[in-house]
Amino acid sequence: MTAATSSTLFPQGSTPGAYAATPRDADAVLDGLDPEQREVATSLHGAVCVLAGAGTGKTRAITHRIAYGVRAGILQPASVLAVTFTNRAAGEMRGRLRQLGAGGVQARTFHSAALRQLQYFWPKAVGGEVPRLVERKVQLVAEAAARCRVRLDRNELRDVTGEIEWSKVTQTVPEDYPAVAAKSGREAPRDAAEIGRIYATYEQLKRDRGVIDFEDVLLLTVGVLQERPDIADQVRRQYQHFVVDEYQDVSPLQQRLLDLWLGERESLCVVGDASQTIYSFTGATPDHLLNFRTRHPRATVVKLIRDYRSTPQVVHLANGLLSQARGRAAEHRLELVSQREAGPDPVYAAYADEPAEAEGTARRIRELITPVEQGGGGIPASQIAILYRVNAQSELYEQALADAQVPYQLRGAERFFERPEVREAGLLLRGAARGGSADPALADADIPSQVRAVLTTRGWTPEPPAGSGAVRDRWESLAALVRLAEDFAASRPGATLSDLVAELDERAAAQHAPTVEGVTLASLHAAKGLEWDAVFLVGLTEGMMPITYAKTEQQIEEERRLLYVGVTRARRHLALSWALSRAPGGRASRRPTRFLNGLRPGSQAIGARTPGGGGGIERGAAAPGGGGVRRRRGPVHCRVCGRALTDAGEMKLMRCEGCPSELDEALYERLRDWRAEQAGQLGQPTYCVFTDKTLLAIAEAVPGTEPELARISGVGRRKLDRFGADVLALCAGRELPSALDDEGDADAGGSHSGDPWQNSTEK
């Protein structure tokens, strides 16, 4: 079976299939938004940066922002340009805006928006027609390689094409490729000089044939706007307000285009999450997101951390994954707080070999899709996904699911609207819409009844056919169209069959497919932006996660973020598995991924844990002479279960008393002994040094730097100055000289003269 998305174009409520009526006025647009989402929606002036964790409702926040501005008369629909990275996301955004009463707003991908402008202004800027887009870039790269007398196998051809694309979005010309690639630490698939020659030949072939590729669309639009100020002014008069989704995925070239669209204005809202940066190999970088306040000092920053998608158990694992991360993105990670009821704990499973892992996964899915009355989970197959690191892993799972008689769909295979039965159904529905129903009894019928009548002539039946194969695939496609018609009719009372046909045309253009009833098989990269009730993350062994060719710290951290994206796709059920050997009877030499150390049962954490950022709002500096940054802090939540904390002791620990502790007991005892010695020197009770709760918090967090120690409640500036060096030394495992050994050199604050580490030894 082939791929379909797991969402619909129509705006959803808290559960799939729930559709809201169009809000009656601007104020009604804000109904149901949480405080941070409402802040996003009402901050319509100046630069706004929304840091939105997975499942926190970022699309809801920005679409309500646009709709509120339009409905309140602050924004003109035609003056707003919302850009994102996939046709599916753009189509979903347009659908939500239309439902909110903000039709007419342009929601497009960067390439689509640029191509539209290029086609409009090309005759004026250059003359003639825009060059034709090359249909198969890979074929042209293969011809360029042949002209350079370089033989590339299938994988090398794909990788060299990727290097050319990366070069163009980072604005690297062919002659500079070897130096820039080396400086960037890229693992070139061939000799860098060789790739540079292929790249140059590829560009010459395009010029000779008068064609352009997708990257050229952006480059040429940038060139026109730079060289023709009159055209740039015309674009800026048209678009007064910009919204950019998935801002962590912006490439340098896309940022350059955005800057030209904006000019000197700051009417910009960006949304992103540095912890979901997983496309750096394509030139994407979170630097633009992380540097937003530097470029826009007066910007309002809103952090969305309330996770409406996943249970506290799933969120706890996601937070734990990032808590051990390193690098700049990790420093800006968001600590998510689940807003859902508790669910089952994630399931960890080790299998003897890969076929056993696939069979075990299929068996568990069979149980989940079995109806509740038969003792199963009652979860629709379309709400279950198997996610893996590379597409080559799918074959075993396809076979295992087929053997278990579980329907499935491959995401990334044949596109839904390109299937023969879907194209044929579209033609029939278009004919029925133009000429009316052939059955007079259906003349006054509702849209779903008309669609069922048309599709019945092409093999659709209320019940699916037995078995699997092509007949079942065809039925699934037609059934998806029936469900889409039912959803459409529910969300658009009074709509006609012609309206549905127009909706299908828009969906086809956006490649926004309806739901097909089958388990989704997809790579972790392809799963970005989607969600399911149950997710199975498979093949989680060293060498696959992180992938073997991830060598540098930056590459390994991106692999960790990729696993984080996979975890946060799950709403309720999450399973993580690995195989100890590749084939039956093989040596059990494989190890589970290092990213689960300290998280899965029986493993120990490796490396420091980085504190996560809370939610809230930060307002930019006012005009000269005004105030600085103001913060509004939200409630304190347990970092384990997500419950709001009110007890002072629990708030200090950032967890409920009854929730599992990550206490380093040996460190806690060393801290207690040290505290007793300090209290004795001061002639005061031990709590005057640090309370028991503060010591517990230190022993759980194990801070490695002064800023990390300062974040712990109970460690103020005065105590940090007095005791900070000693506490950090103990946390690092260093022995401190006793007061007697110091011969009275220790002062009342517990610090030592000279180099505090000169007599210390490493444990």
Side-chain angles (χ1 to χ4, degrees):
M1 299 181 72
T2 50
T5 65
S6 62
S7 61
T8 71
L9 185 62
F10 311 107
Q12 295 186 352
S14 58
T15 58
Y19 302 99
T22 301
R24 64 184 180 278
D25 54 29
D27 289 339
V29 171
L30 304 178
D31 291 347
L33 300 182
D34 67 32
E36 290 78 28
Q37 291 173 342
R38 182 179 285 255
E39 182 69 23
V40 174
T42 55
S43 296
L44 293 171
H45 301 286
V48 177
C49 178
V50 184
L51 302 177
T56 57
K58 68 178 180 65
T59 305
R60 178 179 175 83
I62 59 175
T63 52
H64 280 68
R65 178 182 196 271
I66 295 170
Y68 177 73
V70 169
R71 300 289 297 275
I74 299 171
L75 304 175
Q76 295 302 312
S79 73
V80 180
L81 178 58
V83 286
T84 185
F85 286 83
T86 66
N87 285 324
R88 186 195 66 81
E92 181 178 353
M93 193 178 293
R94 286 193 296 271
R96 292 198 189 201
L97 289 169
R98 186 169 59 240
Q99 184 67 35
L100 291 168
V105 171
Q106 292 293 315
R108 297 181 173 275
T109 64
F110 270 100
H111 284 92
S112 172
L115 181 59
R116 193 175 187 207
Q117 292 177 19
L118 198 63
Q119 290 170 333
Y120 184 82
F121 290 112
W122 187 269
K124 178 179 179 180
V126 181
E129 296 290 324
V130 177
R132 178 175 57 86
L133 272 171
V134 64
E135 291 182 3
R136 301 234 18 199
K137 182 188 298 180
V138 169
Q139 289 182 348
L140 206 57
V141 174
E143 186 176 340
R147 291 201 177 189
C148 293
R149 301 183 183 278
V150 176
R151 182 175 299 224
L152 300 175
D153 63 30
R154 187 174 180 179
N155 290 331
E156 287 176 325
L157 181 58
R158 179 199 63 207
D159 293 342
V160 169
T161 302
E163 288 302 292
I164 292 174
E165 291 173 349
W166 173 83
S167 299
K168 299 186 76 166
V169 300
T170 56
Q171 302 173 82
T172 302
V173 296
E175 54 267 29
D176 291 344
Y177 171 80
V180 175
K183 185 178 180 181
S184 302
R186 291 185 72 80
E187 293 281 340
R190 297 284 298 226
D191 176 73
E194 216 169 46
I195 293 176
R197 291 198 302 275
I198 295 172
Y199 177 15
T201 306
Y202 167 79
E203 291 297 309
Q204 185 60 52
L205 281 172
K206 286 198 291 117
R207 286 192 293 271
D208 292 345
R209 295 174 188 181
V211 296
I212 59 176
D213 59 26
F214 260 139
E215 290 71 42
D216 290 329
V217 170
L218 299 183
L219 285 164
L220 290 170
T221 305
V222 165
V224 168
L225 297 178
Q226 284 182 161
E227 298 299 323
R228 292 291 300 268
D230 57 325
I231 292 177
D233 287 342
Q234 190 173 341
V235 171
R236 291 167 194 156
R237 285 194 300 272
Q238 170 69 48
Y239 295 116
Q240 304 288 323
H241 193 86
F242 295 86
V243 177
V244 185
D245 193 13
E246 303 288 3
Y247 193 56
Q248 77 279 350
D249 292 334
V250 166
S251 70
L253 179 56
Q254 288 164 333
Q255 181 62 48
R256 180 66 188 132
L257 178 58
L258 180 60
D259 289 340
L260 287 165
W261 282 341
L262 273 170
E264 299 301 318
R265 299 167 300 175
E266 292 215 334
S267 189
L268 170 67
C269 174
V270 301
V271 190
D273 179 9
S275 296
Q276 295 189 68
T277 305
I278 59 173
Y279 297 113
S280 67
F281 59 91
T282 67
T285 170
D287 289 346
H288 304 298
L289 176 67
L290 299 177
N291 294 336
F292 193 81
R293 279 292 289 273
T294 303
R295 298 188 66 188
H296 304 275
R298 301 182 188 180
T300 296
V301 177
V302 184
K303 298 179 182 179
L304 305 183
I305 63 167
R306 302 173 201 253
D307 188 319
Y308 299 95
R309 175 188 300 160
S310 305
T311 63
Q313 288 76 11
V314 173
V315 167
H316 178 56
L317 176 57
N319 286 337
L321 269 176
L322 292 186
S323 70
Q324 300 181 24
R326 301 173 182 272
R328 192 173 179 216
E331 294 171 2
H332 293 80
R333 75 181 183 89
L334 299 168
E335 187 93 11
L336 300 179
V337 180
S338 175
Q339 305 298 300
R340 293 194 58 179
E341 293 181 356
D345 288 329
V347 175
Y348 301 86
Y351 292 90
D353 50 65
E354 289 182 357
E357 184 181 9
E359 290 165 11
T361 301
R363 188 166 54 249
R364 175 60 180 141
I365 290 174
R366 180 77 259 176
E367 295 169 358
L368 287 176
I369 65 176
T370 299
V372 175
E373 55 269 22
Q374 298 176 23
I379 299 177
S382 60
Q383 290 304 319
I384 301 174
I386 299 174
L387 307 181
Y388 34 75
R389 178 60 181 84
V390 297
N391 286 317
Q393 293 172 272
S394 75
E395 187 175 354
L396 276 174
Y397 292 90
E398 293 176 55
Q399 186 61 54
L401 291 172
D403 291 345
Q405 295 186 317
V406 174
Y408 65 87
Q409 51 183 323
L410 270 175
R411 181 163 177 80
E414 182 187 28
R415 292 178 171 180
F416 179 84
F417 287 102
E418 293 172 4
R419 300 177 191 178
E421 64 271 21
V422 174
R423 289 202 302 269
E424 183 182 20
L427 290 173
L428 291 172
L429 290 171
R430 186 172 290 105
R434 280 200 304 264
S437 174
D439 185 348
L442 291 172
D444 297 322
D446 59 17
I447 292 176
S449 297
Q450 294 181 59
V451 171
R452 292 188 202 102
V454 170
L455 298 186
T456 297
T457 66
R458 289 299 178 266
W460 178 82
T461 58
E463 295 298 323
S468 58
V471 174
R472 178 62 182 254
D473 290 355
R474 178 182 175 86
W475 184 89
E476 291 284 4
S477 297
L478 299 179
L481 291 174
V482 172
R483 287 193 297 272
L484 189 149
E486 292 168 347
D487 291 344
F488 183 78
S491 68
R492 296 274 299 276
T496 65
L497 187 59
S498 295
D499 295 327
L500 175 63
V501 169
E503 182 72 22
L504 288 173
D505 289 341
E506 184 176 339
R507 279 174 168 267
Q511 287 303 327
H512 190 91
T515 301
V516 171
E517 199 54 52
V519 172
T520 298
L521 291 172
S523 70
L524 287 163
H525 282 100
K528 177 78 164 60
L530 302 177
E531 60 186 76
W532 295 268
D533 284 343
V535 169
F536 290 79
L537 301 176
V538 299
L540 299 180
T541 59
E542 285 289 313
M544 191 60 73
M545 176 57 66
I547 198 78
T548 305
Y549 53 75
K551 305 290 187 185
T552 66
E553 180 177 296
Q554 290 85 352
Q555 291 169 337
I556 289 172
E557 287 305 317
E558 182 153 337
E559 293 287 298
R560 186 195 306 275
R561 295 193 295 269
L562 189 57
L563 182 56
Y564 170 81
V565 165
V567 167
T568 55
R569 299 311 94 194
R571 296 191 190 105
R572 181 172 174 81
H573 298 275
L574 178 63
L576 305 97
S577 63
W578 55 91
L580 301 178
S581 67
R582 187 181 69 82
R587 189 163 62 90
S589 58
R590 290 179 169 179
R591 292 179 293 118
T593 174
R594 71 192 75 172
F595 299 144
L596 296 179
N597 288 338
L599 301 173
R600 63 182 175 84
S603 64
Q604 292 185 340
I606 297 177
R609 302 174 77 84
T610 60
I617 300 149
E618 300 175 9
R619 302 198 186 281
V629 175
R630 293 186 288 134
R631 300 173 187 267
R632 185 169 86 200
R633 298 188 179 277
V636 177
H637 292 268
C638 173
R639 53 189 160 85
V640 179
C641 72
R643 181 179 70 85
L645 303 177
T646 55
D647 178 76
E650 291 183 340
M651 292 171 69
K652 185 184 290 286
L653 291 176
M654 291 292 290
R655 66 171 174 80
C656 305
E657 286 283 4
C659 281
S661 166
E662 299 165 342
L663 177 68
D664 184 331
E665 294 185 8
L667 172 59
Y668 181 60
E669 290 305 318
R670 290 199 303 274
L671 287 167
R672 283 173 59 88
D673 292 343
W674 165 83
R675 181 183 64 171
E677 185 175 352
Q678 294 298 319
Q681 292 178 29
L682 291 169
Q684 294 180 353
T686 54
Y687 65 77
C688 291
V689 181
F690 287 121
T691 65
D692 287 345
K693 281 289 188 344
T694 299
L695 286 192
L696 276 171
I698 293 171
E700 289 187 2
V702 194
T705 64
E706 271 201 6
E708 290 175 5
L709 178 57
R711 291 191 189 102
I712 295 174
S713 180
V715 183
R717 182 74 255 175
R718 184 174 60 84
K719 291 189 178 182
L720 189 66
D721 291 339
R722 280 192 170 191
F723 306 124
D726 281 5
V727 171
L728 291 173
L730 290 168
C731 289
R734 299 187 178 94
E735 293 286 357
L736 293 178
S738 69
L740 293 175
D741 292 339
D742 283 349
E743 297 181 354
D745 282 343
D747 63 18
S751 59
H752 305 278
S753 60
D755 181 359
W757 315 132
Q758 62 184 356
N759 296 318
S760 67
T761 56
E762 296 286 347
K763 277 193 170 183

